[in-house]
Amino acid sequence: MENVLKEITPKSVDYSQWYVDVITKADLVDYAPMKGFMVIKPYGYRIWEFIQEAMNREFRATGHENAYFPLLIPEHLLTKEAEHVEGFSPEVAWVTMGGGEPLSERLAVRPTSETIIGAMYAKWIQSYRDLPVLMNQWCNVVRWEKATRPFLRTTEFLWQEGHTVHRTREEAEAETLQQLRIYQRVIEKELAIPVVAGRKSAGERFAGAVETYTLEALMGDGRALQIATSHFLGQNFAQAFDIQFLDEDGVLKYGWTTSWGSSTRMIGGLIMVHGDDKGLRLPPRVAPIQVVIVPIMRGAERETVLAYATRLKDLLEVKFRVRLDARPEFTPGYKYNDWEMRGVPLRIEVGPRDVANGSVVLARRDTGAKATVSWDAVESTVEGWLDEIQRHLFEEARQRLSERTVAVTDYREAARYGYRGFFTGDWCGQEACADQIKAETGMTIRCLPLDAHPMTGRCVVCQEDASERMVFARAY
RNA sequence: CGGGGAGUAGCGCAGUUUGGUAGCGCGCCUGCUUCGGGAGCAGGAGGUCGCAGGUUCAAAUCCUGUCUCUCCGACCA
């Protein structure tokens, strides 16, 4: 235990340092030699692949197809939608040289792809029969951020961005909400992270959007993380890019567009929601290794133990992602700590005792619980325990979310909780009140929850009539 | 962009005050003994001290310039 503390700074000592220790020691990422960039190592990238697989399943089931659009966007396209360019221009990286020559028009490294995709959609769409257009792309984007943290805010990050065009406003609005719920399903089911779904206030909206919907998650330190967003863009981009179609009634009309995105930031959320002082705790559904087998190879029994462990691996890897850790240079104790740091949900210890008894020892990463199980029951027990761990991690996070969500009638009450947690209260809808909260407390309106209604009808800032219920918090 | 801190072996650091030709822990390599919660012993490899100038017989150390990282703040879907 003392040795663990040497490697990972306890959360209670320094949460930021704990986070950095965990992601580097668990072998998820390494810092690149340029500020704000990171390398996602195989173990971390595998988690991303599980997220991709789950999202792709949902996207396909709702009629979306994957495509790929260019990395670079000519300046004249990026600047077509006024609000959009104003929102993004401060953080755009530009390419000004090519082949040793200055370019006649500089090219933006995409910070998001509404503009280039909008330009292409305008070419492709002629008739109402061409609609809806439902595409998604997996790619990298670059935003020149001043303060960066691995996964949570990096200069370059990986994400998916969906872009759709619809014939009617209603259809586009339905799409926006459908995709939000897809995100919610994947994030809650696969990543075991409970979220609050809501609308963004005008001040927090995506640049160029009519309405932005968001999922907000609560991290282990009580700060909020925006974990996915879905935007109803109205006809703003359709008008800027001439996305028009001839409708059934013979009238030329603008399409209604949406865009929605989720990024590697989700992995940051995963770490901060489930991790503990021993390191990562991965939900089984996204764990690159679900079961690690550690053989205890003493003296003369070494061969029989290894054979037993290998048979166990063969048995289990039919249904689960299994690793047999037979490295001779490390002791079992070292391996336990090592795999716990990496968040492997389930460990199986097999030693001479187990070989003799025809049993194995199972140990859970989430609770630390151990049990001795007979060979015949191993497979079913592993399956049951993995399900149970997935459920337990979600339940634990859900409970923390509900415990740390506090209803207030005055925003100053949040001071009692050190501005940690989600605070809900009524809001008059005026930006001045939101600004006051931010200036005084550092908290922002995370969202206007979809199914909540005002409780008192009084704004938590000005005490005037309030028509909205909001969730506010300090955010990453 | 403002303020602080730091660049010496893969990682973490000492050495800089008072110049004298680089060291410790972990890790790594080899061998033997080990293995039910971070093993032990022995031997070994590895560094133009961020970079560029300058002072000096001599620079990790003093001077000048420069680059980078990091924390706090500001900014930021």
Side-chain angles (χ1 to χ4, degrees):
Chain A
M1 198 57 183
E2 279 169 35
N3 284 314
V4 174
L5 301 185
K6 272 184 209 161
E7 289 200 50
I8 299 176
T9 306
K11 282 181 174 184
S12 55
V13 172
D14 183 342
Y15 197 84
S16 293
Q17 192 57 52
W18 167 82
Y19 177 76
V20 170
D21 286 350
V22 170
I23 58 173
T24 53
K25 300 280 165 44
D27 215 26
L28 300 178
V29 294
D30 198 3
Y31 285 91
M34 310 84 74
K35 177 181 165 54
F37 289 83
M38 65 174 177
V39 175
I40 305 178
K41 298 177 78 174
Y43 193 61
Y45 197 81
R46 193 77 187 94
I47 296 172
W48 181 236
E49 289 177 327
F50 288 126
I51 294 171
Q52 289 183 305
E53 285 163 21
M55 293 261 183
N56 274 329
R57 273 197 300 275
E58 295 274 359
F59 294 163
R60 287 196 194 103
T62 44
H64 301 85
E65 295 178 297
N66 285 331
Y68 186 78
F69 294 84
L71 166 70
L72 302 177
I73 302 174
E75 183 165 22
H76 77 272
L77 280 185
L78 194 73
T79 52
K80 273 198 172 179
E81 212 286 334
E83 275 186 43
H84 186 71
V85 65
E86 196 189 324
F88 278 105
S89 62
E91 47 190 77
V92 170
W94 293 98
V95 175
T96 59
M97 298 282 290
E101 299 288 326
L103 301 177
S104 57
E105 180 186 16
R106 57 182 186 159
L107 303 170
V109 181
R110 65 182 163 214
T112 178
S113 303
E114 277 76 7
T115 55
I116 183 93
I117 292 179
M120 297 312 295
Y121 281 0
K123 285 175 67 176
W124 297 341
I125 295 166
Q126 310 295 330
S127 153
Y128 73 95
R129 295 181 210 276
D130 297 327
L131 299 177
V133 172
L134 307 171
M135 290 191 204
N136 174 68
Q137 81 167 338
W138 292 93
C139 67
N140 56 343
V141 290
V142 167
R143 299 180 187 180
W144 219 262
E145 304 283 359
K146 284 170 183 160
T148 57
R149 318 179 74 159
F151 289 123
L152 301 177
R153 174 171 286 112
T154 45
T155 304
E156 178 190 22
F157 57 93
L158 304 184
W159 76 345
Q160 60 67 217
E161 48 178 327
H163 296 270
T164 68
V165 187
H166 305 265
R167 187 178 176 185
T168 65
R169 176 185 188 109
E170 291 69 30
E171 199 184 305
E173 285 178 325
E175 166 81 8
T176 310
L177 285 169
Q178 169 188 280
Q179 296 312 109
L180 187 78
R181 295 305 187 185
I182 284 177
Y183 287 144
Q184 181 166 7
R185 214 158 38 236
V186 171
I187 291 165
E188 295 193 335
K189 285 224 174 102
E190 307 291 324
L191 303 180
I193 299 174
V195 294
V196 174
R199 264 182 313 127
K200 281 291 187 187
S201 61
E204 299 279 331
R205 240 177 240 149
F206 176 76
V210 172
E211 202 74 84
T212 287
Y213 295 89
T214 180
L215 298 178
E216 299 287 326
L218 183 67
M219 301 298 102
D221 64 345
R223 286 173 72 180
L225 185 73
Q226 174 181 301
I227 204 162
T229 50
S230 184
H231 316 290
F232 170 59
L233 303 174
Q235 293 181 310
N236 292 348
F237 284 85
Q239 285 171 7
F241 291 92
D242 278 321
I243 303 173
Q244 289 180 297
F245 66 95
L246 197 60
D247 208 349
E248 205 171 7
D249 57 12
V251 179
L252 195 60
K253 297 174 182 173
Y254 285 109
W256 299 83
T257 68
T258 79
S259 69
W260 24 277
S262 64
S263 73
T264 38
R265 174 183 264 196
M266 286 184 285
I267 299 175
L270 182 71
I271 296 153
M272 289 198 292
V273 168
H274 301 305
D276 65 17
D277 282 349
K278 288 178 148 185
L280 216 53
R281 292 195 307 170
L282 291 174
R285 296 185 64 90
V286 294
I289 300 169
Q290 294 172 311
V291 182
V292 64
I293 301 169
V294 178
I296 293 128
M297 301 180 286
R298 208 168 38 197
E301 288 131 321
R302 127 179 255 106
E303 291 307 318
T304 47
V305 169
L306 194 56
Y308 189 79
T310 304
R311 267 201 294 140
L312 182 62
K313 174 179 179 268
D314 293 343
L315 171 71
L316 293 176
E317 73 183 358
V318 175
K319 290 179 82 166
F320 314 105
R321 298 187 284 273
V322 184
R323 169 76 63 88
L324 169 60
D325 184 0
R327 292 177 292 177
E329 68 271 31
F330 295 115
T331 60
Y334 178 92
K335 292 175 185 175
Y336 299 166
N337 286 292
D338 196 40
W339 293 111
E340 281 167 358
M341 193 163 68
R342 290 172 159 73
V344 174
L346 207 53
R347 179 180 72 241
I348 303 183
E349 306 165 12
V350 293
R353 215 156 57 207
D354 301 295
V355 175
N357 300 337
S359 63
V360 303
V361 175
L362 264 56
R364 281 173 64 158
R365 173 64 179 91
D366 60 336
T367 60
K370 275 196 184 191
T372 301
V373 178
S374 71
W375 181 276
D376 294 337
V378 172
E379 191 181 338
S380 61
T381 307
V382 166
E383 184 160 28
W385 279 34
L386 287 176
D387 286 347
E388 177 53 31
I389 292 166
Q390 183 81 27
R391 226 185 349 261
H392 176 253
L393 287 173
F394 179 74
E395 187 51 33
E396 211 174 56
R398 199 196 56 74
Q399 202 163 336
R400 182 173 58 215
L401 174 62
S402 83
E403 277 166 11
R404 302 192 75 171
T405 300
V406 179
V408 297
T409 54
D410 185 317
Y411 71 98
R412 295 183 196 85
E413 292 171 44
R416 260 192 283 151
Y417 303 89
Y419 305 111
R420 299 298 170 162
F422 280 173
F423 301 94
T424 64
D426 296 349
W427 181 45
C428 62
Q430 295 181 62
E431 288 301 321
C433 287
D435 292 345
Q436 187 176 332
I437 293 176
K438 186 176 181 186
E440 274 183 37
T441 69
M443 296 187 292
T444 50
I445 300 179
R446 301 319 305 157
C447 72
L448 313 174
L450 288 184
D451 0 274
H453 302 287
M455 305 284 284
T456 63
R458 298 280 150 211
C459 177
V460 295
V461 182
C462 65
Q463 301 298 329
E464 299 291 319
D465 286 349
S467 54
E468 300 277 12
R469 187 75 174 165
M470 63 172 169
V471 172
F472 56 106
R474 282 195 180 161
Y476 273 99

